[in-house]
Amino acid sequence: MVQDYLIYSTAWASFGLVHSLLAREKAKAVLKPAFGAFYRAAYNVLAGLHLVLVYIIGFMLFDGLVDFNRPEWLAVSQGLLYGLGWIVMLWALREYDLGKLAGIKQIREHFQGIMAHDEEPLHFNGFHRWMRHPLYTAGFMILWGRVSNDFDLMTAICGSLYLIIGSHFEERHLIRLYGDHYATYKSRVPAFIPWKGQVDLKEPKL
């Protein structure tokens, strides 16, 4: 069983490493000229396929597991957390340009002769007034809300570590991109738990 945990953790580590490396400026400088407007979409497809592979490995390793014997109050609480996580996720996504996030907008504008920017602008509205990473917060809620066996538990642990480490690298990039404006936002707004209250800041433009 320990070997299964190590293999699954390694699979998650490979996903985090590849995903992070491809998001770095050096990787973009090398790959983007080759992919052009298709870079963001290709990046998302590769990340999605890699994550599916990680889950398949997990399903194979932990096949036939028996669910934990959870008290009813815990199962109900997790169900509420899971459902609320999806509500937060879907609501927070409304604040993004989903076409640009997916890479579809860049491809469409490429064929219209328009040079599209890959970077998503900073968001200080909606949930972003309370926490810097509402999508990651929703991810935590979904991951831990569905824990009912060893596979779910390992997925929640590895997924949470990926989100925490990934947010660190993402914020380093945002500080390089937006400078003091993002540094000020970071100092005033919590990362995942909205314990400071609402903050109003003007959104900068690229």
Side-chain angles (χ1 to χ4, degrees), residues 23-34:
R24 297 182 66 179
E25 286 84 351
K26 290 182 180 179
K28 289 182 180 180
V30 174
L31 296 174
K32 198 168 181 181

Side-chain angles (χ1 to χ4, degrees), residues 88 127-134 137 185 189-194 197:
V88 173
F127 283 119
H128 290 89
R129 294 180 178 179
W130 303 83
M131 49 191 159
R132 302 196 302 274
H133 303 290
T137 297
Y185 174 65
V189 179
F192 309 116
I193 302 175

Side-chain angles (χ1 to χ4, degrees), residues 45-202:
V45 169
L46 178 61
L49 292 175
H50 197 164
L51 189 58
V52 168
L53 178 60
V54 170
Y55 266 82
I56 290 174
I57 291 172
F59 280 127
M60 293 175 63
L61 291 172
F62 296 98
D63 183 41
L65 283 180
V66 177
D67 285 350
F68 298 138
N69 185 19
R70 295 175 293 167
E72 184 177 354
W73 68 265
L74 179 58
V76 172
S77 298
Q78 284 185 271
L80 292 174
L81 182 68
Y82 180 79
L84 183 59
W86 277 111
I87 292 173
V88 173
M89 175 74 75
L90 295 174
W91 194 270
L93 281 172
R94 297 175 58 189
E95 300 165 17
Y96 290 84
D97 184 337
L98 297 184
K100 176 175 285 188
L101 201 62
I104 297 173
K105 183 175 182 179
Q106 291 89 321
I107 297 173
R108 183 174 64 248
E109 292 189 348
H110 168 72
F111 287 108
Q112 295 174 350
I114 302 172
M115 287 289 292
H117 204 294
D118 272 339
E119 298 291 348
E120 182 77 14
L122 285 181
H123 298 282
F124 296 155
N125 293 320
F127 283 119
H128 290 89
R129 294 180 178 179
W130 303 83
M131 49 191 159
R132 302 196 302 274
H133 303 290
L135 293 179
Y136 292 1
T137 297
F140 291 131
M141 296 168 73
I142 293 169
L143 286 169
W144 289 98
R146 69 182 302 274
V147 172
S148 61
N149 53 47
D150 284 336
F151 170 62
D152 294 338
L153 180 59
M154 284 299 299
T155 299
I157 292 172
C158 294
S160 296
L161 287 173
Y162 166 73
L163 292 176
I164 293 170
I165 296 172
S167 69
H168 171 72
F169 285 104
E170 179 183 344
E171 292 196 326
R172 288 176 57 183
H173 169 70
L174 290 172
I175 288 176
R176 287 194 296 269
L177 187 63
Y178 292 103
D180 291 342
H181 206 117
Y182 188 80
T184 300
Y185 174 65
K186 182 180 179 181
S187 69
R188 296 178 61 184
V189 179
F192 309 116
I193 302 175
W195 59 273
K196 285 188 177 181
Q198 180 174 307
V199 175
D200 290 314
L201 291 172
K202 184 178 179 181

